[in-house]
Amino acid sequence: MIHSLFLVNSSGDIFLEKHWKSVVSRSVCDYFFEAQERASEPENVPPVIPTPHHYLISVLRHRIYFVAVIQSEVPPLFVIEFLHRVVDTFQDYFGLCTEAAIKDNVVVVYELLEEMLDNGFPLATESNILKELIKPPTILRTVVNTITGSTNVGEQLPTGQLSVVPWRRTGVKYTNNEAYFDVVEEIDAIIDKSGSTITAEIQGVIDACVKLTGMPDLTLSFMNPRLLDDVSFHPCVRFKRWEAERILSFIPPDGNFRLLSYHVSSQNLVAIPVYVKHNITFREGSSQGRFELTLGPKQTMGKAVESVLVSSQLPRGVLNANLNASQGTYTFDPVTKLLTWDVGKINPQKLPSLKGSMSLQAGASKPDENPTIIIQFKIQQMAISGLKVNRLDMYGEKYKPFKGIKYMTKAGKFQTGMQRPHVSCVKA
Amino acid sequence: MTDSKYFTTNKKGEIFELKAELNNEKKEKRKEAVKKVIAAMTVGKDVSSLFPDVVNCMQTDNLELKKLVYLYLMNYAKSHPLCTDCEDPNPLIRALAVRTMGCIRVDKITEYLCEPLRKCLKDEDPYVRKTAAVCVAKLHDINAQMVEDQGFLDSLRDLIADSNPMVVANAVAALSEISESHPNSNLLDLNPQNINKLLTALNECTEWGQIFILDCLSNYNPKDEREAQSICERVTPRLSHANSAVVLSAVKVLMKFLELLPKDSDYYITLLKKLSPPLVTLLSGEPEVQYVALRNINLIVQKRPEILKQEIKVFFVKYNDPIYVKLEKLDIMIRLASQANIAQVLAELKEYATEVDVDFVRKAVRAIGRCAIKVEQSAERCVSTLLDLIQTKVNYVVQEAIVVIRDIFRKYPNKYESIIATLCENLDSLDEPDARAAMIWIVGEYAERIDNADELLESFLEGFHDESTQVQLTLLTAIVKLFLKKPSETQELVQQVLSLATQDSDNPDLRDRGYIYWRLLSTDPVTAKEVVLSEKPLISEETDLIEPTLLDELICHIGSLASVYHKPPNAFVEGSHGIHRKHLPIQHGSSGPAAPVDQPQVIPSQGDLLGDLLNLDLGPPVNVPQVCSMQMGAVDLLGGGLDSLVSDPIIIMHPTLCGWKNIIYVLLSNSWSGPGLISVDFLLLLAVLNFCVLQVWLPAAKAKGLEISGTFSRRQGHMYMDMSFTNKALQHMTDFAIQFNKNSFGMIPTTPLAVHTPLMPNQSIDISLPLNTIGPVMKMDPLNNLQVAVKNNIDVFYFSCLIPLSIFFVEDGKMERQVFLATWKDIPNENELQYQIKECHLNADTVSGKLQNNNIYTIAKRNVEGQDMLYQSLKLTNGIWILAELRIQPGNPNYTVKNTLNEKVCPNLWPVLYNIIWMQLWMYYS
């Protein structure tokens, strides 16, 4: 099981360590640092590193490496999932998961880690239960604690751990009962220069914020459940019911949680919401190049494409770019050669374009005319897969809750422009 | 003074006083104080309030004080708050207490926690039971023996049948952790009832519990296909879990039980279909999750390619994937490449070859080559893609491309030579040994079609000694090929390279290969042509597949570290050396044993075909067939001379010369097939090769892939065991150690076996183990039998070998003449033995000289009736003298041996002498 955890910042310092069994010397991290040095980019550090007596399994989140030390055969995914859970918990508690936030709340962090793992076995990883045990720090509570000398440790013991629905605490009470569901889809795509799709897939999630009194039992049904053939559910969802009737039936945790995530693969037809036309040319022997890029909406069912951001890594030979944006602003960093264009909203009547010339290093050979273009965007009120919620019902409680469903599409990894284009959409 | 004084004081505020004394600076005072506390304790006073102060005193080097503190602790541990909390009415307090208990890592104290723990394991509240289950694992970590003695393992096993799913999950987790340090006991006794309990618990426990239960299920062997199917049905819903570790553990169970399902059943086909989406979903997770998933998918794709054959697109590399994900995706792309998708794959690969990361680009270029070899229809497209890439003139792209083009030439000979001209243009830019060697090979192979082949090769010759061995060997071979193809113009060149290789080089492989070519060319050019230019076997399409048995084992370990490293767990996980290897279940029932699935044939990546050495030089090849053919040759050659030494004389050559094995094999099989011829020319070869004879003591088949061959020698007055360890398994070997059984001469190793680096697959290592004879003595039969145990990380292996007696002949074995004469007469006749050595055409002086080299000394020489009589002595390490008389007649040397003690050394001496004289004979030829 998990022996120890080290938190390492991007400059390679261990700023927190926690041991669940005997203490493992921090020198074990030297193997990690070696790998870190070898990696060209921070994210290229391999997730599993063997050392003579231990294995180091790490995840990189928010520019912090969470390095777990294990000694025996443990499923690596088990460790990785747990580490991600730790990160999510920190983020949940402190708003941000940064080195500063962790250092400021080091006591809470220790308390949390102690509760999450017992002798290397996961103990309480549900945010609902943890929050009962250890109250998240707020400014008010910090002030009160300083004056009264009390702590964040809850007075009560987590009653939820005893029940058959361990994800929900008992005795929940709200004056306003509400349940909101966000259907968020990210489209990952690779699109080639001619505009045809190499791959496109949709990663969708339904995130919920449920604040309901008592023990509500919810059911959620879809207009087109057939879209969901590749899904992962929160443990609260009754799988049998889904198999049989394609209805999501569950007793929700209290507060925010991810109800399900799904994947619509490239085998289904995936609509591509934007197109890019670009023309980048360099003449042999000349120190000038032309740059033209136009964006347009496509298959958006009439919804506006917003927060559009185009970025591209121009070839190394480009010294500077003198461009003219029909809307929004662009920047070009002559050092990293990164061109970014903050477009904003696409107006279908007047398509945004970016045109102009680039100056090249004299004498350099003709650069690549197909740099990768990465596009980010958001589309509100639409799930690009076409997924639609049919109805949401509540059983088990008498009151009438307030219900709401929101849809949103974002670009995940949306790339285009290369000979083999690559389109990805960004998450909203 | 007695301890009774501690009982005397009885003033008020005693506790307070004690407290002050316990915190006194002086050690003596503190000790006195602790004694007082204990005294108070024994008369039943409550001194528990002093707990923290007493515990403070534990921080000392004073053993007495420490023991006193322990006494106190043990007394109060029973009434310690933890133990009382275990009785608390609130289950959450009870659970908290039992959880904390396991964290006290002090042996003595834990004993007092057994009773409360036992109660908690049977607590009415499931939350307490579940916590107690984990506590057993903690205690086992601290004191395994105690946990067993107290019967906690049985209690854990009972918890598997608990009504609460969380308790079941934790009991399973605790048992699996304990069983890791307990490889032999079958802690988790799985039977259908248990399995049913587990499956029920699976639906209701936490995600972490599900992982433990699924891992446990995967160890179960269902009795028939119906049971397997019903388990699969209940596990399948886990494929939709949000936790990727749960998904992968479920995949493991399903992959394993698929073996048991009939291939034509509907359920089998449905299940295969169900496996694909969750695997694809794993690839949309965080990069770390993707990495582990990809390593496992790599196994799954090899085992059951049909699951993901439609999904090649999800393995297309994304611009911002971390490099470790990119490399893994590339590997899987090639495995999935087929005629149907090759166009897309090639377009992708071409794109990757223009990226920035050097490692990735190289792998992409290599991948194009692998596609060409794998999908014949695409070869032409691949070649033209590679040519395009060469035109980019990016140095490492060009080099990598040339290496793969060489492989394409080997797969499709005489098809694409038109591109050689383009390749030659880039000759100057090649600076890596791999690429240089590949280019040289191409030039040599197609020398007849390259007008200026001689110039090209000559240009490499200039810096011959600065090249790597690989390039040198290839260059030597290429020039010999060139010479055989165009003898008229290249005579000078070939002479140049042969003299460079034989005279100016320190590398035995190179030198010896030079000699072989030289002799081959000078004695029989026709044969040389047949050997060197013989038709080479085509290389196979599937390289670096995992060997099927290992693959099956790894499938049983999906989701584990083993699956990430593609090595069986016992190869690298500490403390699991004894773990049972897992096997895929075998289908029962009418269909008989599971028909072997069509596994692509696995070709080891290091070429072991005989052609390789002559043509490719991929690395030191280790090969079994050669050994067999050598055996025939050698037995012929030695005329049974060594038969008497070993019962099973498999003879191979010294491993530093392992390259030579191939050449000799080629020579034997290609040209000299008549045994009569062999002996003569073979001796010549041996002479050239400075040939040493190693016997295979431990064949690889008997030692899980470890082959040990060796011989004994005596050098500069010391004895050595010269061994060659060859790893013929697929995993690396470490932790070598050697031990001898008691033997007749008390021989033991002087130093431990010095193998410091792991022995990688297909590698050999030569070891010279110094020996001495100061060990325990036990008479063996035969006398020179030695039983040896060799251990490595895999197992312990035993073999026995015969020590040639000659290594026991000590240097001071020359007897004084007078003593010799006196002793000779005293030896009773029954200790005298006579042997005849036939067909030895040596004169007395030569024999005498040669024997002296082996510490057999000539004391006197006489000439009697035209016969030379030699009187000789030798001494063994254990002080036994052996005297001998050697009568030499032309064609019939007669050896009479006498020894001084009435021991049966003599029967063994005969082969020794025979052997020595034969050895001399070989050297004579050299």
Side-chain angles (χ1 to χ4, degrees):
Chain A
M1 296 297 113
I2 301 171
H3 251 252
S4 306
L5 174 70
F6 293 94
L7 303 196
V8 177
N9 63 18
S10 46
S11 51
D13 299 321
I14 302 170
F15 65 92
L16 190 130
E17 60 183 284
K18 164 87 187 132
H19 306 275
W20 282 277
K21 292 185 173 182
S22 47
V23 174
V24 178
S25 155
R26 57 164 64 191
S27 62
V28 76
C29 288
D30 291 350
Y31 295 94
F32 179 80
F33 297 139
E34 258 173 53
Q36 199 184 3
E37 257 169 49
R38 269 198 302 274
S40 52
E41 303 282 332
E43 62 269 20
N44 285 347
V45 180
V48 187
I49 299 170
T51 78
H53 302 289
H54 301 91
Y55 285 83
L56 306 178
I57 298 186
S58 63
V59 304
L60 172 67
R61 294 277 297 271
H62 309 288
R63 299 202 288 150
I64 300 170
Y65 295 99
F66 292 74
V67 185
V69 182
I70 58 172
Q71 201 161 24
S72 53
E73 175 70 86
V74 178
L77 274 186
F78 168 91
V79 182
I80 290 172
E81 282 283 345
F82 177 78
L83 293 178
H84 283 306
R85 207 59 60 85
V86 171
V87 181
D88 294 342
T89 310
F90 287 173
Q91 207 165 2
D92 196 19
Y93 265 71
F94 316 129
L96 284 168
C97 181
T98 60
E99 187 181 348
I102 291 173
K103 278 181 173 167
D104 287 349
N105 296 291
V106 76
V107 176
V108 180
V109 165
Y110 254 81
E111 285 165 357
L112 281 174
L113 290 176
E114 190 59 50
E115 287 302 330
M116 291 180 82
L117 218 52
D118 174 20
N119 195 44
F121 291 95
L123 193 63
T125 52
E126 285 290 333
S127 133
N128 264 300
I129 291 167
L130 281 172
K131 282 194 178 153
E132 262 185 84
L133 287 168
I134 300 154
K135 302 221 167 61
T138 59
I139 295 173
L140 181 67
R141 196 170 295 132
T142 320
V143 174
V144 172
N145 285 353
T146 343
I147 297 165
T148 62
S150 59
T151 64
N152 286 327
V153 179
E155 292 290 304
Q156 299 163 329
L157 288 153
T159 46
Q161 288 191 334
L162 300 177
S163 82
V164 276
V165 277
W167 53 85
R168 189 172 177 89
R169 61 192 174 101
T170 48
V172 185
K173 269 215 167 83
Y174 289 102
T175 39
N176 293 323
N177 287 299
E178 38 191 29
Y180 298 110
F181 293 86
D182 291 352
V183 181
V184 181
E185 294 191 344
E186 282 182 31
I187 175 164
D188 289 355
I190 305 171
I191 294 171
D192 73 7
K193 199 181 177 186
S194 62
S196 54
T197 309
I198 304 284
T199 68
E201 52 190 14
I202 295 165
Q203 313 291 348
V205 295
I206 299 183
D207 283 338
C209 175
V210 177
K211 293 180 175 171
L212 297 174
T213 307
M215 274 285 169
D217 197 334
L218 303 180
T219 57
L220 187 72
S221 62
F222 298 96
M223 307 272 261
N224 38 9
R226 274 195 311 146
L227 274 171
L228 302 177
D229 65 339
D230 184 1
V231 275
S232 308
F233 296 117
H234 188 276
C236 68
V237 175
R238 295 181 181 103
F239 191 79
K240 284 250 165 67
R241 186 101 190 262
W242 169 258
E243 284 274 271
E245 307 168 47
R246 297 275 141 178
I247 286 174
L248 293 181
S249 156
F250 54 98
I251 295 172
D254 185 42
N256 294 311
F257 68 101
R258 175 156 295 173
L259 181 62
L260 86 159
S261 54
Y262 57 95
H263 175 254
V264 179
S265 73
S266 48
Q267 276 160 348
N268 301 32
L269 267 183
V270 174
I272 302 294
V274 290
Y275 69 86
V276 177
K277 269 195 218 157
H278 73 287
N279 192 7
I280 299 168
T281 50
F282 302 102
R283 246 169 303 142
E284 197 73 62
S286 150
S287 64
Q288 289 287 308
R290 286 221 39 84
F291 186 99
E292 273 184 51
L293 195 149
T294 311
L295 284 173
K298 188 179 162 186
Q299 294 169 302
T300 61
M301 297 180 246
K303 302 286 195 292
V305 183
E306 299 168 343
S307 311
V308 180
L309 187 74
V310 178
S311 57
S312 178
Q313 186 77 48
L314 294 186
R316 257 170 277 172
V318 177
L319 284 181
N320 212 339
N322 185 14
L323 307 175
N324 200 352
S326 69
Q327 72 176 79
T329 51
Y330 83 93
T331 53
F332 177 72
D333 183 338
V335 181
T336 60
K337 315 291 181 200
L338 188 70
L339 175 77
T340 42
W341 177 27
D342 188 351
V343 185
K345 192 170 167 180
I346 297 181
N347 177 357
Q349 268 72 52
K350 189 172 172 293
L351 296 179
S353 65
L354 184 66
K355 287 180 190 167
S357 62
M358 296 169 289
S359 54
L360 294 180
Q361 213 165 355
S365 61
K366 196 175 130 185
D368 177 23
E369 294 182 333
N370 295 299
T372 309
I373 298 166
I374 298 172
I375 304 160
Q376 297 179 306
F377 56 80
K378 274 188 208 174
I379 306 168
Q380 305 278 8
Q381 319 282 313
M382 180 187 82
I384 192 80
S385 67
L387 186 73
K388 268 213 147 74
V389 173
N390 186 19
R391 45 181 305 138
L392 174 69
D393 298 304
M394 188 187 75
Y395 304 92
E397 297 286 338
K398 297 250 163 58
Y399 56 85
K400 268 235 171 303
F402 186 78
K403 301 177 278 192
I405 312 265
K406 237 175 28 180
Y407 298 92
M408 151 113 75
T409 298
K410 307 192 253 187
K413 295 166 180 168
F414 202 99
Q415 288 170 241
T416 181
M418 307 140 69
Q419 274 166 337
R420 155 278 230 181
H422 224 123
V423 178
S424 60
C425 289
V426 181
K427 307 184 181 181
Chain B
M1 206 190 323
T2 62
D3 282 353
S4 60
K5 63 171 174 138
Y6 299 119
F7 295 97
T8 53
T9 53
N10 203 358
K11 291 174 281 178
K12 59 173 179 172
E14 187 189 33
I15 296 282
F16 181 78
E17 255 175 47
L18 281 173
K19 207 180 181 80
E21 277 180 56
L22 283 170
N23 291 311
N24 197 298
E25 278 173 22
K26 284 197 186 130
K27 211 192 294 178
E28 282 307 305
K29 282 266 180 197
R30 286 209 301 272
K31 194 158 64 178
E32 295 291 292
V34 175
K35 284 186 182 171
K36 279 184 202 161
V37 171
I38 289 170
M41 191 172 80
T42 53
V43 294
K45 279 182 202 149
D46 183 12
V47 282
S48 60
S49 57
L50 291 169
F51 196 85
D53 306 285
V54 177
V55 171
N56 260 339
C57 295
M58 210 165 11
Q59 298 278 2
T60 172
D61 321 325
N62 188 317
L63 198 64
E64 192 191 355
L65 182 51
K66 231 185 223 317
K67 279 189 171 166
L68 288 172
V69 175
Y70 279 148
L71 261 178
Y72 174 89
L73 281 180
M74 279 185 258
N75 190 53
Y76 279 102
K78 288 176 217 162
S79 56
H80 189 272
L82 269 183
C83 299
T84 44
D85 278 353
C86 285
E87 316 266 332
D88 197 280
N90 184 340
L92 292 162
I93 304 252
R94 294 202 297 276
L96 194 60
V98 83
R99 186 184 149 199
T100 316
M101 244 158 56
C103 300
I104 302 174
R105 305 183 65 90
V106 184
D107 242 11
K108 287 279 176 200
I109 294 194
T110 42
E111 280 173 27
Y112 291 93
L113 302 176
C114 288
E115 274 322 302
L117 176 59
R118 201 187 313 280
K119 270 186 211 146
C120 288
L121 279 168
K122 301 219 156 66
D123 199 285
E124 55 177 18
D125 194 287
Y127 186 65
V128 180
R129 293 200 298 274
K130 141 189 156 164
T131 319
V134 176
C135 188
V136 174
K138 291 186 202 172
L139 280 190
H140 187 269
D141 197 27
I142 301 163
N143 189 342
Q145 196 54 46
M146 185 190 75
V147 169
E148 274 166 59
D149 296 346
Q150 297 279 340
F152 284 138
L153 296 184
D154 293 324
S155 316
L156 268 189
R157 244 170 272 158
D158 294 342
L159 287 184
I160 290 187
D162 199 281
S163 57
N164 185 294
M166 310 274 223
V167 178
V168 177
N170 275 17
V172 169
L175 280 173
S176 348
E177 178 160 294
I178 291 171
S179 65
E180 254 183 47
S181 51
H182 245 265
N184 296 322
S185 61
N186 191 11
L187 283 176
L188 274 163
D189 182 26
L190 295 172
N191 55 45
Q193 289 78 33
N194 280 346
I195 291 295
N196 213 8
K197 286 276 180 194
L198 290 182
L199 285 167
T200 315
L202 183 62
N203 288 327
E204 293 166 48
C205 67
T206 66
E207 49 199 315
W208 313 111
Q210 295 185 12
I211 299 170
F212 295 127
I213 293 183
L214 286 169
D215 284 347
C216 177
L217 279 176
S218 74
N219 292 329
Y220 177 66
N221 281 323
K223 57 183 189 304
D224 55 26
E225 61 185 64
R226 277 181 54 199
E227 195 184 4
Q229 176 168 344
S230 87
I231 295 176
C232 286
E233 278 168 2
R234 296 174 71 175
V235 166
T236 319
R238 298 302 120 203
L239 292 175
S240 298
H241 202 283
N243 185 319
S244 59
V246 176
V247 175
L248 205 53
S249 291
V251 168
K252 161 160 63 184
V253 177
L254 297 176
M255 280 297 286
K256 204 174 164 190
F257 290 179
L258 264 177
E259 294 290 315
L260 292 169
L261 301 174
K263 305 269 171 296
D264 43 3
S265 69
D266 289 345
Y267 185 71
Y268 178 84
I269 296 160
T270 333
L271 194 53
L272 275 189
K273 272 193 197 138
K274 278 191 178 164
L275 275 171
S276 142
L279 290 173
V280 172
T281 303
L282 289 180
L283 296 182
S284 57
E286 287 83 2
E288 297 91 4
V289 175
Q290 286 186 41
Y291 171 74
V292 177
L294 285 165
R295 289 297 283 173
N296 282 284
I297 288 173
N298 201 326
L299 297 173
I300 294 170
V301 162
Q302 288 182 60
K303 181 73 189 164
R304 297 187 180 278
E306 61 271 29
I307 294 178
L308 285 164
K309 66 172 183 233
Q310 303 293 342
E311 302 286 351
I312 189 152
K313 278 186 176 178
V314 302
F315 299 104
F316 285 2
V317 169
K318 287 185 182 120
Y319 179 72
N320 39 6
D321 283 335
I323 181 71
Y324 55 81
V325 168
K326 285 184 176 172
L327 294 174
E328 289 307 317
K329 281 188 171 175
L330 200 52
D331 217 36
I332 296 171
M333 267 171 75
I334 302 161
R335 294 203 194 285
L336 289 174
S338 65
Q339 207 182 333
N341 55 29
I342 193 73
Q344 268 183 314
V345 171
L346 261 186
E348 282 290 305
L349 292 177
K350 196 176 172 186
E351 193 70 38
Y352 304 161
T354 61
E355 288 222 14
V356 278
D357 190 291
V358 177
D359 281 344
F360 182 56
V361 170
R362 282 175 181 275
K363 191 154 185 180
V365 176
R366 229 171 302 149
I368 297 175
R370 276 170 70 184
C371 284
I373 291 164
K374 189 172 177 197
V375 186
E376 188 162 356
Q377 294 82 354
S378 75
E380 196 147 348
R381 290 241 287 289
C382 294
V383 171
S384 76
T385 309
L386 287 170
L387 276 185
D388 287 350
L389 290 173
I390 289 177
Q391 304 297 2
T392 63
K393 304 277 180 198
V394 178
N395 190 280
Y396 53 85
V397 175
V398 173
Q399 310 215 37
E400 204 64 52
I402 286 183
V403 175
V404 297
I405 286 178
R406 178 208 36 207
D407 291 344
I408 295 177
F409 279 173
R410 291 211 55 202
K411 169 78 179 177
Y412 310 108
N414 304 321
K415 220 168 159 190
Y416 299 110
E417 329 53 88
S418 54
I419 66 169
I420 290 175
T422 323
L423 302 185
C424 290
E425 286 166 20
N426 293 286
L427 210 61
D428 298 334
S429 63
L430 309 179
D431 52 14
E432 290 162 24
D434 273 351
R436 286 173 84 83
M439 192 65 220
I440 293 169
W441 182 87
I442 293 171
V443 174
E445 186 66 17
Y446 294 96
E448 68 274 25
R449 305 184 208 193
I450 305 173
D451 293 337
N452 59 344
D454 48 343
E455 283 169 37
L456 295 176
L457 292 178
E458 200 171 357
S459 66
F460 284 101
L461 211 50
E462 281 161 22
F464 188 76
H465 290 300
D466 302 328
E467 301 281 4
S468 70
T469 309
Q470 183 193 9
V471 178
Q472 289 175 333
L473 288 168
T474 324
L475 188 56
L476 174 61
T477 308
I479 293 180
V480 171
K481 282 191 211 162
L482 171 70
F483 171 71
L484 291 167
K485 288 173 178 175
K486 299 180 185 173
S488 51
E489 309 116 74
T490 57
Q491 193 149 12
E492 206 175 306
L493 192 61
V494 81
Q495 271 170 359
Q496 208 181 334
V497 75
L498 286 176
S499 76
L500 277 172
T502 54
Q503 286 160 24
D504 303 340
S505 172
D506 297 332
N507 182 330
D509 270 0
L510 183 64
R511 201 173 52 218
D512 296 348
R513 188 188 293 194
Y515 277 123
I516 269 280
Y517 280 141
W518 203 325
R519 194 168 288 266
L520 208 51
L521 293 173
S522 54
T523 49
D524 190 355
V526 180
T527 312
K529 207 160 183 165
E530 263 174 50
V531 172
V532 179
L533 302 180
S534 61
E535 202 163 304
K536 286 157 284 292
L538 297 182
I539 58 173
S540 124
E541 52 206 70
E542 288 289 352
T543 47
D544 62 74
L545 282 179
I546 295 172
E547 189 235 341
T549 51
L550 178 61
L551 179 62
D552 284 354
E553 196 185 347
L554 289 176
I555 290 284
C556 301
H557 288 284
I558 282 179
S560 68
L561 279 171
S563 70
V564 172
Y565 284 99
H566 292 183
K567 286 177 194 159
N570 54 5
F572 63 97
V573 175
E574 232 174 60
S576 62
H577 294 298
I579 277 186
H580 293 291
R581 295 199 146 197
K582 294 186 184 175
H583 303 285
L584 283 177
I586 293 170
Q587 199 173 343
H588 310 273
S590 55
S591 56
V597 191
D598 277 346
Q599 291 286 358
Q601 199 197 350
V602 178
I603 303 290
S605 51
Q606 283 195 317
D608 68 345
L609 301 164
L610 61 101
D612 280 356
L613 186 99
L614 286 173
N615 299 294
L616 274 177
D617 295 305
L618 288 174
V622 179
N623 30 17
V624 184
Q626 280 83 335
V627 174
C628 305
S629 67
M630 275 311 303
Q631 184 185 351
M632 291 156 26
V635 170
D636 257 350
L637 164 76
L638 300 175
L642 288 171
D643 285 339
S644 43
L645 269 184
V646 265
S647 53
D648 182 17
I650 300 172
I651 297 168
I652 61 165
M653 270 157 252
H654 196 271
T656 56
L657 305 171
C658 57
W660 284 104
K661 279 189 281 181
N662 293 340
I663 296 209
I664 290 170
Y665 173 62
V666 174
L667 296 177
L668 289 175
S669 58
N670 272 14
S671 39
W672 298 298
S673 44
L677 268 171
I678 287 183
S679 44
V680 179
D681 286 23
F682 199 76
L683 279 178
L684 291 178
L685 272 175
L686 297 179
V688 174
L689 298 176
N690 190 13
F691 166 71
C692 320
V693 180
L694 294 191
Q695 295 156 358
V696 175
W697 284 334
L698 183 66
K702 284 191 189 162
K704 303 188 178 161
L706 175 67
E707 184 179 276
I708 301 178
S709 48
T711 184
F712 291 90
S713 66
R714 188 177 184 93
R715 303 191 287 268
Q716 279 98 43
H718 297 284
M719 292 175 286
Y720 294 93
M721 189 170 179
D722 296 324
M723 286 174 291
S724 163
F725 284 34
T726 306
N727 182 353
K728 294 190 171 176
L730 286 157
Q731 61 194 73
H732 68 264
M733 296 178 178
T734 54
D735 307 336
F736 286 99
I738 194 164
Q739 204 175 358
F740 293 171
N741 201 353
K742 286 184 209 166
N743 54 69
S744 320
F745 292 92
M747 190 152 84
I748 52 165
T750 309
T751 58
L753 198 59
V755 185
H756 300 301
T757 47
L759 189 57
M760 305 312 284
N762 272 350
Q763 264 191 355
S764 302
I765 184 168
D766 296 341
I767 300 143
S768 218
L769 184 69
L771 307 171
N772 60 42
T773 51
I774 55 171
V777 176
M778 184 172 80
K779 195 173 167 200
M780 301 295 291
D781 188 32
L783 207 59
N784 55 342
N785 191 16
L786 176 67
Q787 294 174 339
V788 183
V790 170
K791 175 191 131 338
N792 64 9
N793 58 329
I794 298 169
D795 208 343
V796 181
F797 311 107
Y798 304 93
F799 62 85
S800 66
C801 52
L802 298 178
I803 313 167
L805 274 182
S806 60
I807 77 158
F808 297 114
F809 298 173
V810 294
E811 279 70 17
D812 60 347
K814 185 159 185 169
M815 214 177 228
E816 289 291 318
R817 268 179 99 108
Q818 301 306 322
V819 185
F820 185 92
L821 276 173
T823 323
W824 184 263
K825 284 181 195 148
D826 289 348
I827 299 172
N829 279 347
E830 59 265 30
N831 276 12
E832 191 172 310
L833 290 160
Q834 286 210 2
Y835 299 103
Q836 295 234 323
I837 300 169
K838 290 190 179 116
E839 312 219 1
C840 181
H841 312 277
L842 298 173
N843 65 32
D845 288 342
T846 341
V847 168
S848 156
K850 287 177 191 308
L851 291 176
Q852 182 151 351
N853 288 340
N854 286 286
N855 298 341
I856 304 174
Y857 297 94
T858 306
I859 310 298
K861 183 182 157 191
R862 281 196 301 170
N863 191 305
V864 182
E865 299 157 14
Q867 299 178 351
D868 281 327
M869 305 286 284
L870 296 179
Y871 292 91
Q872 294 170 313
S873 74
L874 61 95
K875 193 173 128 186
L876 299 177
T877 46
N878 52 5
I880 298 176
W881 285 90
I882 296 170
L883 309 183
E885 179 186 71
L886 182 67
R887 180 184 306 138
I888 299 176
Q889 297 172 296
N892 185 15
N894 197 358
Y895 219 119
T896 312
V897 181
K898 296 185 180 186
N899 72 345
T900 48
L901 284 175
N902 195 11
E903 293 250 14
K904 291 200 172 163
V905 181
C906 297
N908 295 299
L909 197 63
W910 179 78
V912 175
L913 290 172
Y914 196 95
N915 195 17
I916 291 171
I917 291 171
W918 263 100
M919 292 269 261
Q920 307 307 324
L921 184 69
W922 299 346
M923 286 175 192
Y924 174 73
Y925 276 96
S926 65

